[in-house]
């Protein structure tokens, strides 16, 4: 059964919860399944190596996950309108995959979370798409045929799924945010199935 890689970095749980909603959407497409993976944190000074498996949540990603996936969804919290350093660090190390065309023709999309409504969701999503374009991915967003895109009072954009955590840093997506995340997962899984046919 083809895997759609849902690769993310999550600091406080918001992005991880969006990833699980996306995985649910992927699972709604016949013959497709999600492979949840995360990236390790990075630090300017390293005292010791990160454990090979995180204490909880998804396992760390490795190059085989990239090579084996039929589609890719990238998620990151917003850092000043851009993706967080751990995800960027991982992507910056994919030179061999770029040179060999590992992701060429695979459908891809992005998702994020911010603390505030105008905290840079759209710029983060757009800048996360740039490496995917360099890798030759087929980029997809959320079309306005998804009703929650026009009713959401929180996250959710045509550029990708998103969540507004608010001042209380609530990691739980709203009903609309969760619906849009599942829709994005279904969309990438459906495109991957069509491209493989």
């Amino acid at each position: 059964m083809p895997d759609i890689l849902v690769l993310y970095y999550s600091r406080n749980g918001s992005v991880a919860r969006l990833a699980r909603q996306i995985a649910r959407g992927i699972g709604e497409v016949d013959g497709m399944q999600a492979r949840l993976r995360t990236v390790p944190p990075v630090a300017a000074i390293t005292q010791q190596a990160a454990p090979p498996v995180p204490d909880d949540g998804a396992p760390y990603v490795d190059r085989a996950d990239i090579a084996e996936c039929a589609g890719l969804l990238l998620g990151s919290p917003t850092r000043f309108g851009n993706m967080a350093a751990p995800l960027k660090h991982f992507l910056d190390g994919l030179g061999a995959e770029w040179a060999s065309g590992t992701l060429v023709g695979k459908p891809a999309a992005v998702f994020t979370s911010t603390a505030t409504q105008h905290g840079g969701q759209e710029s983060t999503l757009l800048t996360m798409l740039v490496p995917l374009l360099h890798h030759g991915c087929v980029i997809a967003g959320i079309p306005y045929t998804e009703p929650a895109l026009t009713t959401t009072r929180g996250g959710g954009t045509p550029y990708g799924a998103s969540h507004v955590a608010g001042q209380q840093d609530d990691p739980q997506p709203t009903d609309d945010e969760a619906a849009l995340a599942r829709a994005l997962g279904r969309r990438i899984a459906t495109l991957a199935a069509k491209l493989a046919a």
Side-chain angles (χ1 to χ4, degrees):
M1 183 178 296
D3 284 2
I4 303 297
L5 178 59
V6 183
L7 176 60
Y8 65 91
Y9 173 71
S10 187
R11 181 87 182 261
N12 296 317
S14 295
V15 175
R17 289 189 186 208
L18 277 179
R20 288 193 289 276
Q21 291 296 327
I22 287 168
R24 283 182 56 194
I26 291 166
E28 293 171 7
V29 177
D30 286 341
M32 297 303 227
Q33 65 185 11
R35 183 184 298 193
L36 286 166
R37 295 292 185 267
T38 190
V39 295
V42 295
I45 298 172
T46 303
Q47 298 289 334
Q48 65 184 50
V53 178
D55 292 333
D56 59 9
Y60 289 136
V61 66
D62 68 28
R63 289 175 156 19
D65 294 316
I66 298 292
E68 295 167 1
C69 74
L72 173 63
L73 289 114
L74 289 179
S76 172
T78 293
R79 296 292 184 263
F80 304 107
N82 216 322
M83 74 181 89
L87 186 61
K88 178 76 164 69
H89 180 72
F90 176 77
L91 293 174
D92 285 349
L94 295 180
E97 288 76 9
W98 167 77
S100 65
T102 301
L103 291 171
V104 170
K106 294 181 181 183
V110 292
F111 58 104
T112 192
S113 178
T114 57
T116 62
Q117 182 70 34
H118 302 289
Q121 287 187 4
E122 291 181 344
S123 63
T124 299
L125 295 169
L126 289 169
T127 57
M128 288 174 66
L129 292 172
V130 173
L132 299 176
L133 289 166
H134 277 264
H135 277 276
C137 293
V138 177
I139 303 299
I142 302 173
Y144 275 97
T145 52
E146 290 297 331
L149 203 54
T150 56
T151 61
T152 183
R153 294 282 184 223
T157 80
Y159 310 114
S162 62
H163 167 65
V164 178
Q167 292 186 357
Q168 304 304 316
D169 199 22
D170 183 2
Q172 185 63 40
T174 67
D175 290 346
D176 283 341
E177 291 169 341
L180 290 168
R182 288 192 305 275
L184 187 59
R186 280 192 308 273
R187 184 165 168 78
I188 294 301
T190 299
L191 287 171
K194 289 179 178 179
L195 288 170

